[in-house]
Amino acid sequence: MKKTVFVLALLMAAAAVFAQKAGNKIQFSTKDLTGATVTDQRFSENRLTMINVWGTFCPPCIREMPDLAKLSEANKAKGVEVLGLVIDLTDRKGAVLEKQRKDADSIISQTGASYTHLVPTPAMMGGFLRGVQVVPTTIFVDKNGKQVGDAYMGARSQADWQKIIDSLLAKVH
């Protein structure tokens, strides 16, 4: 019951319109699933960073992950990085839920989505993730940490994501 209430609260907290708008700077410091620290400084290493917010409970999220893995590899030379962010990985205080972590690790392994996956912090949930309406939701960020374009809600094919990436790359320097 508590878990169900938490998941519903998480989804309700995320049910508003996506808070980020194009041009807004995204800042964070968190860990990835391997325990390594990842900060918004990561953006400066790429022309474009794709942040895909997904959940272990979300079949469309899981179905698109093999395509995201292919995109990650195909676009590295262009300066594009894919980051996953597992929205249901933590409780309200930011503690990692072990069952969700195991589920996420299993999903990542099964889908071949070996790109970096981030653990959401309470600051992230109250900040740039505050208005996530659905999962998957994907945003793109330039090397300065500013969102490029709008948030993309829903899953897409590799070909559809590639068109979006190519279009956004033409807008960033």
Side-chain angles (χ1 to χ4, degrees):
M1 176 71 171
K2 282 185 179 181
K3 182 178 175 184
T4 302
V5 170
F6 170 72
V7 170
L8 288 174
L10 178 67
L11 292 173
M12 287 172 57
V17 175
F18 195 78
Q20 283 300 115
K21 299 287 184 210
N24 287 352
K25 190 166 183 170
I26 295 175
Q27 298 176 308
F28 69 89
S29 179
T30 191
K31 301 280 185 188
D32 66 16
L33 286 178
T34 69
T37 298
V38 180
T39 71
D40 54 277
Q41 286 298 114
R42 184 83 167 247
F43 301 142
S44 67
E45 300 170 13
N46 307 296
R47 287 182 60 207
L48 192 66
T49 302
M50 177 183 195
I51 304 173
N52 178 258
V53 182
W54 65 281
T56 61
F57 58 88
C58 171
C61 300
I62 297 164
R63 276 193 302 273
E64 84 171 340
M65 289 172 74
D67 282 349
L68 296 179
K70 292 174 192 167
L71 278 170
S72 178
E73 288 303 313
N75 288 282
K76 279 184 184 177
K78 296 178 184 178
V80 178
E81 180 178 26
V82 176
L83 296 175
L85 196 148
V86 193
I87 196 78
D88 63 332
L89 197 58
T90 59
D91 66 16
R92 282 180 264 171
K93 295 179 182 176
V96 173
L97 302 167
E98 200 52 41
K99 182 189 182 316
Q100 260 58 13
R101 181 186 179 88
K102 287 179 183 175
D103 289 349
D105 287 340
S106 176
I107 291 164
I108 291 164
S109 175
Q110 290 172 11
T111 61
S114 60
Y115 47 87
T116 301
H117 294 269
L118 306 176
V119 176
T121 64
M124 292 165 86
M125 295 301 290
F128 78 94
L129 295 174
R130 154 178 89 241
V132 171
Q133 187 174 5
V134 298
V135 289
T137 291
T138 303
I139 59 172
F140 291 88
V141 182
D142 69 13
K143 65 183 176 182
N144 298 311
K146 292 186 178 182
Q147 183 175 329
V148 180
D150 295 323
Y152 294 86
M153 294 176 219
R156 288 172 173 70
S157 69
Q158 180 181 356
D160 288 344
W161 279 126
Q162 190 63 60
K163 288 176 190 171
I164 292 166
I165 289 169
D166 290 342
S167 170
L168 293 175
L169 279 172
K171 296 177 182 180
V172 297
H173 303 288

